[in-house]
Amino acid sequence: MKNRKPLIAGNWKMFKTCLEAVETARQLVKLIPDNTTVDVMIAPPFTSLMPVSDVMKGSCVSLGAQNLFWEPEGAYTGEISSGMLVSAGCKYVIIGHSERRQYFGETDVTVNKKIKAAIKDNLIPVVCVGESEKERESSHTFSVLDKQVAKGLENFVSSDLETLVIAYEPIWAIGTGKTATSKQAQAVHQYLRLLIEKKFGNNLANSVRILYGGSVKPDNIKELMLMPDVDGTLVGGASLNAETFSKIVNFQI
Ligand code: PEP
């Protein structure tokens, strides 16, 4: 029996204009019952945060951002701080998504700085880790995760990380239609929990939520959620449509 409240999170990436985002958020709020037993988060593009926040007020759907910069303010053209995200209504922020690591030079060091900034402003960090196809095939999955966790969470103590959410997102499963089997996901989630236990102790290991991400759909959510160490999912493509995403959120109904 899991004592962690599941989190089903949607990452809209660079999709949807403000109008489209508001419309999808409106539909979503109608499709998710108020008494849902899971936490739900949607991360629209920065431009839609405020209008989507207005739509979601009073609903059980929370707002997240897809990225942040670690400085509180300053001459950093194009960047957005944690305080700005809070002021736009965000409760969560995704950090270190593989697309940011791959296309925008994000490293474990920048991930570490971003986590620090997020928790300082009471944003819940959803920290993404995961291996590439080549790394999995060469049996390096666990060593890649060792490094991502060690460096990403360097210099924190367990009390800093009480709200931490980890998203295991094997890169080979993102947007490819290839899902890790529930057994593959469970094996990695169990390993990640063990890493957290070794580094931060039993309490944090038991409370940290570990999400799975990579081609999650309404037809594979139940099987994944049955795994003892899978505490929710981070959903990309299938979160863009309100009806599809609500089926994932309502997987128990
Ligand atoms: C993601 O981008 O975090 C993701 C998991 O994408 P998808 O669900 O489309 O594989």
Side-chain angles (χ1 to χ4, degrees):
M1 176 65 183
K2 291 182 220 175
N3 56 3
R4 298 172 293 271
K5 191 173 185 190
L7 168 63
I8 308 288
N11 172 13
W12 286 355
K13 310 192 181 191
M14 199 177 74
F15 290 102
K16 297 186 188 294
T17 62
C18 288
L19 284 179
E20 288 164 349
V22 163
E23 182 50 31
T24 309
R26 279 205 185 110
Q27 292 168 1
L28 200 58
V29 164
K30 280 192 203 143
L31 289 165
I32 297 177
D34 285 340
N35 60 353
T36 184
T37 53
V38 301
D39 285 338
V40 187
M41 178 270 267
I42 278 295
F46 287 139
T47 47
S48 298
L49 287 175
M50 276 286 273
V52 167
S53 165
D54 286 342
V55 173
M56 287 172 174
K57 250 178 218 138
S59 82
C60 62
V61 185
S62 298
L63 192 67
Q66 300 174 19
N67 184 29
L68 83 167
F69 187 55
W70 55 81
E71 292 294 343
E73 63 179 9
Y76 302 104
T77 303
E79 294 298 322
I80 305 277
S81 72
S82 49
M84 291 170 184
L85 297 180
V86 171
S87 76
C90 288
K91 182 173 171 187
Y92 296 85
V93 60
I94 299 170
I95 296 176
H97 189 280
S98 62
E99 286 152 14
R100 295 221 51 91
R101 293 179 191 252
Q102 192 178 346
Y103 304 125
F104 303 101
E106 192 112 340
T107 64
D108 296 322
V109 173
T110 60
V111 165
N112 183 276
K113 291 182 181 186
K114 289 181 180 194
I115 298 172
K116 201 168 172 192
I119 53 186
K120 189 165 166 280
D121 274 315
N122 296 317
L123 279 170
I124 300 175
V126 178
V127 179
C128 301
V129 295
E131 82 287 5
S132 66
E133 188 154 36
K134 205 166 144 207
E135 288 161 343
R136 174 162 281 262
E137 279 169 1
S138 58
S139 305
H140 284 106
T141 299
F142 290 158
S143 61
V144 167
L145 296 170
D146 285 345
K147 182 177 158 283
Q148 290 174 338
V149 170
K151 293 247 174 258
L153 302 182
E154 198 168 65
N155 294 328
F156 289 111
V157 295
S158 62
S159 59
D160 295 328
L161 301 175
E162 275 163 4
T163 63
L164 173 71
V165 176
I166 297 175
Y168 168 56
E169 298 212 308
I171 298 168
W172 49 272
I174 295 182
T176 58
K178 284 188 203 171
T179 322
T181 63
S182 47
K183 272 193 183 159
Q184 283 172 321
Q186 169 57 25
V188 173
H189 285 221
Q190 194 175 13
Y191 184 77
L192 284 168
R193 207 174 294 287
L194 210 70
L195 282 184
I196 296 295
E197 186 178 351
K198 278 193 203 147
K199 212 170 152 52
F200 299 104
N202 206 21
N203 280 353
L204 190 67
N206 282 331
S207 66
V208 67
R209 291 186 287 186
I210 307 179
L211 315 184
Y212 168 77
S215 300
V216 174
K217 304 274 182 305
D219 59 6
N220 58 20
I221 179 74
K222 271 192 190 161
E223 202 188 324
L224 285 161
M225 290 303 293
L226 280 173
M227 296 297 109
D229 288 294
V230 175
D231 306 314
T233 56
L234 180 53
V235 185
S239 72
L240 293 169
N241 177 283
E243 210 175 311
T244 309
F245 187 60
S246 69
K247 282 187 188 154
I248 296 174
V249 172
N250 299 331
F251 71 97
Q252 293 170 108
I253 299 173

